[in-house]
mmCIF file of all heavy atoms in Angstrom:
data_model
loop_
_atom_site.group_PDB
_atom_site.id
_atom_site.type_symbol
_atom_site.label_atom_id
_atom_site.label_comp_id
_atom_site.label_asym_id
_atom_site.label_seq_id
_atom_site.Cartn_x
_atom_site.Cartn_y
_atom_site.Cartn_z
ATOM 1 N N LEU T 236 47.782 29.698 -94.436
ATOM 2 C CA LEU T 236 46.684 28.875 -93.921
ATOM 3 C C LEU T 236 45.879 29.562 -92.817
ATOM 4 O O LEU T 236 44.641 29.548 -92.864
ATOM 5 C CB LEU T 236 47.231 27.546 -93.413
ATOM 6 C CG LEU T 236 47.924 26.671 -94.467
ATOM 7 C CD1 LEU T 236 48.524 25.426 -93.820
ATOM 8 C CD2 LEU T 236 46.968 26.287 -95.579
ATOM 9 N N GLY T 237 46.567 30.135 -91.834
ATOM 10 C CA GLY T 237 45.860 30.721 -90.694
ATOM 11 C C GLY T 237 45.164 32.020 -91.025
ATOM 12 O O GLY T 237 43.947 32.170 -90.847
ATOM 13 N N VAL T 238 45.935 32.990 -91.564
ATOM 14 C CA VAL T 238 45.348 34.277 -91.883
ATOM 15 C C VAL T 238 44.563 34.212 -93.190
ATOM 16 O O VAL T 238 43.453 34.732 -93.278
ATOM 17 C CB VAL T 238 46.456 35.361 -91.996
ATOM 18 C CG1 VAL T 238 45.877 36.713 -92.370
ATOM 19 C CG2 VAL T 238 47.238 35.467 -90.683
ATOM 20 N N GLY T 239 45.128 33.534 -94.210
ATOM 21 C CA GLY T 239 44.488 33.491 -95.514
ATOM 22 C C GLY T 239 43.319 32.529 -95.600
ATOM 23 O O GLY T 239 42.161 32.938 -95.613
ATOM 24 N N VAL T 240 43.616 31.229 -95.649
ATOM 25 C CA VAL T 240 42.550 30.221 -95.847
ATOM 26 C C VAL T 240 41.514 30.286 -94.725
ATOM 27 O O VAL T 240 40.319 30.407 -94.974
ATOM 28 C CB VAL T 240 43.138 28.795 -95.971
ATOM 29 C CG1 VAL T 240 42.012 27.756 -96.017
ATOM 30 C CG2 VAL T 240 44.007 28.675 -97.219
ATOM 31 N N LEU T 241 41.985 30.192 -93.489
ATOM 32 C CA LEU T 241 41.012 30.183 -92.376
ATOM 33 C C LEU T 241 40.360 31.537 -92.187
ATOM 34 O O LEU T 241 39.191 31.612 -91.783
ATOM 35 C CB LEU T 241 41.669 29.679 -91.102
ATOM 36 C CG LEU T 241 42.086 28.220 -91.140
ATOM 37 C CD1 LEU T 241 42.815 27.820 -89.874
ATOM 38 C CD2 LEU T 241 40.886 27.320 -91.365
ATOM 39 N N GLY T 242 41.081 32.629 -92.468
ATOM 40 C CA GLY T 242 40.459 33.958 -92.408
ATOM 41 C C GLY T 242 39.358 34.122 -93.451
ATOM 42 O O GLY T 242 38.338 34.754 -93.199
ATOM 43 N N GLY T 243 39.566 33.552 -94.634
ATOM 44 C CA GLY T 243 38.536 33.606 -95.658
ATOM 45 C C GLY T 243 37.401 32.635 -95.388
ATOM 46 O O GLY T 243 36.253 32.885 -95.772
ATOM 47 N N PHE T 244 37.725 31.540 -94.739
ATOM 48 C CA PHE T 244 36.728 30.509 -94.426
ATOM 49 C C PHE T 244 35.844 30.953 -93.264
ATOM 50 O O PHE T 244 34.624 30.901 -93.345
ATOM 51 C CB PHE T 244 37.457 29.208 -94.104
ATOM 52 C CG PHE T 244 36.593 27.998 -93.947
ATOM 53 C CD1 PHE T 244 35.732 27.596 -94.964
ATOM 54 C CD2 PHE T 244 36.632 27.234 -92.789
ATOM 55 C CE1 PHE T 244 34.939 26.456 -94.829
ATOM 56 C CE2 PHE T 244 35.855 26.105 -92.654
ATOM 57 C CZ PHE T 244 35.005 25.718 -93.660
ATOM 58 N N THR T 245 36.461 31.400 -92.191
ATOM 59 C CA THR T 245 35.736 31.906 -91.019
ATOM 60 C C THR T 245 36.687 32.624 -90.079
ATOM 61 O O THR T 245 37.734 32.107 -89.744
ATOM 62 C CB THR T 245 35.057 30.754 -90.251
ATOM 63 O OG1 THR T 245 34.483 31.296 -89.041
ATOM 64 C CG2 THR T 245 35.997 29.640 -89.891
ATOM 65 N N THR T 246 36.321 33.842 -89.663
ATOM 66 C CA THR T 246 37.161 34.528 -88.683
ATOM 67 C C THR T 246 36.895 33.998 -87.278
ATOM 68 O O THR T 246 37.603 34.323 -86.341
ATOM 69 C CB THR T 246 36.935 36.053 -88.707
ATOM 70 O OG1 THR T 246 35.547 36.315 -88.478
ATOM 71 C CG2 THR T 246 37.373 36.636 -90.023
ATOM 72 N N PHE T 247 35.873 33.162 -87.144
ATOM 73 C CA PHE T 247 35.565 32.572 -85.849
ATOM 74 C C PHE T 247 36.737 31.726 -85.345
ATOM 75 O O PHE T 247 36.967 31.625 -84.144
ATOM 76 C CB PHE T 247 34.294 31.719 -85.925
ATOM 77 C CG PHE T 247 33.730 31.371 -84.583
ATOM 78 C CD1 PHE T 247 32.920 32.258 -83.916
ATOM 79 C CD2 PHE T 247 33.993 30.140 -84.009
ATOM 80 C CE1 PHE T 247 32.382 31.921 -82.668
ATOM 81 C CE2 PHE T 247 33.469 29.800 -82.783
ATOM 82 C CZ PHE T 247 32.669 30.698 -82.104
ATOM 83 N N SER T 248 37.519 31.161 -86.268
ATOM 84 C CA SER T 248 38.668 30.364 -85.871
ATOM 85 C C SER T 248 39.705 31.229 -85.164
ATOM 86 O O SER T 248 40.317 30.800 -84.176
ATOM 87 C CB SER T 248 39.278 29.646 -87.076
ATOM 88 O OG SER T 248 39.655 30.581 -88.082
ATOM 89 N N ALA T 249 39.932 32.437 -85.647
ATOM 90 C CA ALA T 249 40.858 33.353 -85.005
ATOM 91 C C ALA T 249 40.322 33.779 -83.635
ATOM 92 O O ALA T 249 41.057 33.843 -82.645
ATOM 93 C CB ALA T 249 41.105 34.577 -85.869
ATOM 94 N N PHE T 250 39.029 34.042 -83.565
ATOM 95 C CA PHE T 250 38.355 34.386 -82.308
ATOM 96 C C PHE T 250 38.559 33.257 -81.299
ATOM 97 O O PHE T 250 38.932 33.499 -80.147
ATOM 98 C CB PHE T 250 36.875 34.631 -82.605
ATOM 99 C CG PHE T 250 36.008 34.900 -81.423
ATOM 100 C CD1 PHE T 250 36.123 36.068 -80.708
ATOM 101 C CD2 PHE T 250 35.033 33.986 -81.043
ATOM 102 C CE1 PHE T 250 35.284 36.339 -79.626
ATOM 103 C CE2 PHE T 250 34.191 34.236 -79.980
ATOM 104 C CZ PHE T 250 34.323 35.413 -79.256
ATOM 105 N N SER T 251 38.350 32.024 -81.731
ATOM 106 C CA SER T 251 38.505 30.874 -80.838
ATOM 107 C C SER T 251 39.949 30.732 -80.364
ATOM 108 O O SER T 251 40.193 30.451 -79.173
ATOM 109 C CB SER T 251 38.085 29.582 -81.578
ATOM 110 O OG SER T 251 36.731 29.645 -81.929
ATOM 111 N N LEU T 252 40.907 30.906 -81.262
ATOM 112 C CA LEU T 252 42.323 30.827 -80.897
ATOM 113 C C LEU T 252 42.687 31.912 -79.871
ATOM 114 O O LEU T 252 43.371 31.631 -78.876
ATOM 115 C CB LEU T 252 43.216 30.949 -82.127
ATOM 116 C CG LEU T 252 44.734 30.942 -81.861
ATOM 117 C CD1 LEU T 252 45.160 29.624 -81.224
ATOM 118 C CD2 LEU T 252 45.500 31.197 -83.144
ATOM 119 N N GLU T 253 42.217 33.126 -80.080
ATOM 120 C CA GLU T 253 42.526 34.203 -79.168
ATOM 121 C C GLU T 253 41.957 33.943 -77.770
ATOM 122 O O GLU T 253 42.615 34.214 -76.761
ATOM 123 C CB GLU T 253 42.013 35.537 -79.733
ATOM 124 C CG GLU T 253 42.823 35.968 -80.944
ATOM 125 C CD GLU T 253 42.151 37.026 -81.784
ATOM 126 O OE1 GLU T 253 40.929 37.294 -81.594
ATOM 127 O OE2 GLU T 253 42.827 37.564 -82.670
ATOM 128 N N ILE T 254 40.763 33.396 -77.709
ATOM 129 C CA ILE T 254 40.164 33.040 -76.426
ATOM 130 C C ILE T 254 40.999 31.947 -75.749
ATOM 131 O O ILE T 254 41.313 32.039 -74.552
ATOM 132 C CB ILE T 254 38.701 32.576 -76.577
ATOM 133 C CG1 ILE T 254 37.839 33.727 -77.038
ATOM 134 C CG2 ILE T 254 38.165 32.003 -75.256
ATOM 135 C CD1 ILE T 254 36.462 33.315 -77.533
ATOM 136 N N ALA T 255 41.382 30.927 -76.509
ATOM 137 C CA ALA T 255 42.195 29.830 -75.953
ATOM 138 C C ALA T 255 43.523 30.356 -75.427
ATOM 139 O O ALA T 255 43.971 29.931 -74.353
ATOM 140 C CB ALA T 255 42.431 28.762 -77.022
ATOM 141 N N LEU T 256 44.163 31.267 -76.154
ATOM 142 C CA LEU T 256 45.438 31.829 -75.698
ATOM 143 C C LEU T 256 45.271 32.606 -74.401
ATOM 144 O O LEU T 256 46.105 32.488 -73.497
ATOM 145 C CB LEU T 256 46.061 32.684 -76.794
ATOM 146 C CG LEU T 256 46.525 31.954 -78.046
ATOM 147 C CD1 LEU T 256 46.974 32.958 -79.118
ATOM 148 C CD2 LEU T 256 47.638 30.976 -77.706
ATOM 149 N N LEU T 257 44.201 33.381 -74.293
ATOM 150 C CA LEU T 257 43.937 34.116 -73.067
ATOM 151 C C LEU T 257 43.697 33.143 -71.911
ATOM 152 O O LEU T 257 44.235 33.336 -70.803
ATOM 153 C CB LEU T 257 42.732 35.046 -73.228
ATOM 154 C CG LEU T 257 42.947 36.302 -74.063
ATOM 155 C CD1 LEU T 257 41.621 36.972 -74.400
ATOM 156 C CD2 LEU T 257 43.883 37.253 -73.357
ATOM 157 N N LEU T 258 42.917 32.094 -72.146
ATOM 158 C CA LEU T 258 42.650 31.112 -71.087
ATOM 159 C C LEU T 258 43.924 30.360 -70.673
ATOM 160 O O LEU T 258 44.142 30.138 -69.492
ATOM 161 C CB LEU T 258 41.568 30.126 -71.544
ATOM 162 C CG LEU T 258 40.174 30.716 -71.712
ATOM 163 C CD1 LEU T 258 39.230 29.706 -72.326
ATOM 164 C CD2 LEU T 258 39.630 31.213 -70.374
ATOM 165 N N GLU T 259 44.745 30.006 -71.659
ATOM 166 C CA GLU T 259 45.990 29.314 -71.326
ATOM 167 C C GLU T 259 46.946 30.189 -70.519
ATOM 168 O O GLU T 259 47.741 29.672 -69.748
ATOM 169 C CB GLU T 259 46.672 28.818 -72.606
ATOM 170 C CG GLU T 259 45.994 27.602 -73.202
ATOM 171 C CD GLU T 259 46.687 27.062 -74.417
ATOM 172 O OE1 GLU T 259 47.585 27.750 -74.987
ATOM 173 O OE2 GLU T 259 46.357 25.936 -74.821
ATOM 174 N N ARG T 260 46.860 31.499 -70.693
ATOM 175 C CA ARG T 260 47.693 32.422 -69.912
ATOM 176 C C ARG T 260 47.076 32.713 -68.533
ATOM 177 O O ARG T 260 47.622 33.471 -67.754
ATOM 178 C CB ARG T 260 47.872 33.724 -70.665
ATOM 179 C CG ARG T 260 48.828 33.630 -71.846
ATOM 180 C CD ARG T 260 49.267 34.986 -72.329
ATOM 181 N NE ARG T 260 48.147 35.793 -72.805
ATOM 182 C CZ ARG T 260 47.956 36.118 -74.083
ATOM 183 N NH1 ARG T 260 48.804 35.740 -74.993
ATOM 184 N NH2 ARG T 260 46.940 36.848 -74.428
ATOM 185 N N GLY T 261 45.893 32.139 -68.286
ATOM 186 C CA GLY T 261 45.234 32.347 -67.016
ATOM 187 C C GLY T 261 44.464 33.657 -66.941
ATOM 188 O O GLY T 261 44.063 34.078 -65.857
ATOM 189 N N ALA T 262 44.250 34.291 -68.061
ATOM 190 C CA ALA T 262 43.540 35.567 -68.114
ATOM 191 C C ALA T 262 42.039 35.329 -68.322
ATOM 192 O O ALA T 262 41.463 35.716 -69.342
ATOM 193 C CB ALA T 262 44.121 36.445 -69.216
ATOM 194 N N LEU T 263 41.407 34.678 -67.348
ATOM 195 C CA LEU T 263 39.985 34.329 -67.453
ATOM 196 C C LEU T 263 39.116 35.552 -67.602
ATOM 197 O O LEU T 263 38.182 35.579 -68.419
ATOM 198 C CB LEU T 263 39.575 33.514 -66.224
ATOM 199 C CG LEU T 263 38.122 33.047 -66.165
ATOM 200 C CD1 LEU T 263 37.800 32.160 -67.367
ATOM 201 C CD2 LEU T 263 37.853 32.300 -64.886
ATOM 202 N N GLY T 264 39.406 36.597 -66.826
ATOM 203 C CA GLY T 264 38.620 37.824 -66.901
ATOM 204 C C GLY T 264 38.714 38.482 -68.267
ATOM 205 O O GLY T 264 37.714 38.932 -68.832
ATOM 206 N N GLN T 265 39.925 38.539 -68.821
ATOM 207 C CA GLN T 265 40.105 39.114 -70.150
ATOM 208 C C GLN T 265 39.400 38.283 -71.210
ATOM 209 O O GLN T 265 38.804 38.824 -72.144
ATOM 210 C CB GLN T 265 41.599 39.246 -70.483
ATOM 211 C CG GLN T 265 42.284 40.356 -69.754
ATOM 212 C CD GLN T 265 43.739 40.485 -70.170
ATOM 213 O OE1 GLN T 265 44.305 39.605 -70.820
ATOM 214 N NE2 GLN T 265 44.352 41.596 -69.798
ATOM 215 N N ALA T 266 39.461 36.959 -71.071
ATOM 216 C CA ALA T 266 38.781 36.084 -72.033
ATOM 217 C C ALA T 266 37.271 36.327 -71.989
ATOM 218 O O ALA T 266 36.618 36.446 -73.028
ATOM 219 C CB ALA T 266 39.094 34.619 -71.741
ATOM 220 N N ALA T 267 36.704 36.403 -70.790
ATOM 221 C CA ALA T 267 35.271 36.642 -70.639
ATOM 222 C C ALA T 267 34.890 38.024 -71.191
ATOM 223 O O ALA T 267 33.873 38.171 -71.884
ATOM 224 C CB ALA T 267 34.854 36.530 -69.181
ATOM 225 N N LEU T 268 35.734 39.012 -70.928
ATOM 226 C CA LEU T 268 35.481 40.359 -71.440
ATOM 227 C C LEU T 268 35.519 40.363 -72.973
ATOM 228 O O LEU T 268 34.658 40.960 -73.624
ATOM 229 C CB LEU T 268 36.503 41.329 -70.875
ATOM 230 C CG LEU T 268 36.393 42.789 -71.345
ATOM 231 C CD1 LEU T 268 35.088 43.404 -70.850
ATOM 232 C CD2 LEU T 268 37.595 43.586 -70.836
ATOM 233 N N TYR T 269 36.493 39.674 -73.522
ATOM 234 C CA TYR T 269 36.637 39.602 -74.978
ATOM 235 C C TYR T 269 35.417 38.929 -75.632
ATOM 236 O O TYR T 269 34.890 39.413 -76.625
ATOM 237 C CB TYR T 269 37.929 38.860 -75.338
ATOM 238 C CG TYR T 269 38.196 38.692 -76.813
ATOM 239 C CD1 TYR T 269 38.157 39.798 -77.663
ATOM 240 C CD2 TYR T 269 38.514 37.464 -77.347
ATOM 241 C CE1 TYR T 269 38.409 39.656 -79.012
ATOM 242 C CE2 TYR T 269 38.764 37.315 -78.687
ATOM 243 C CZ TYR T 269 38.714 38.412 -79.518
ATOM 244 O OH TYR T 269 38.976 38.257 -80.853
#
Side-chain angles (χ1 to χ4, degrees):
L236 299 175
V238 178
V240 173
L241 293 176
F244 189 57
T245 174
T246 57
F247 194 83
S248 57
F250 176 69
S251 298
L252 177 63
E253 290 163 348
I254 293 166
L256 292 174
L257 286 168
L258 292 173
E259 285 183 347
R260 286 195 298 249
L263 181 60
Q265 286 183 346
L268 179 65
Y269 180 51

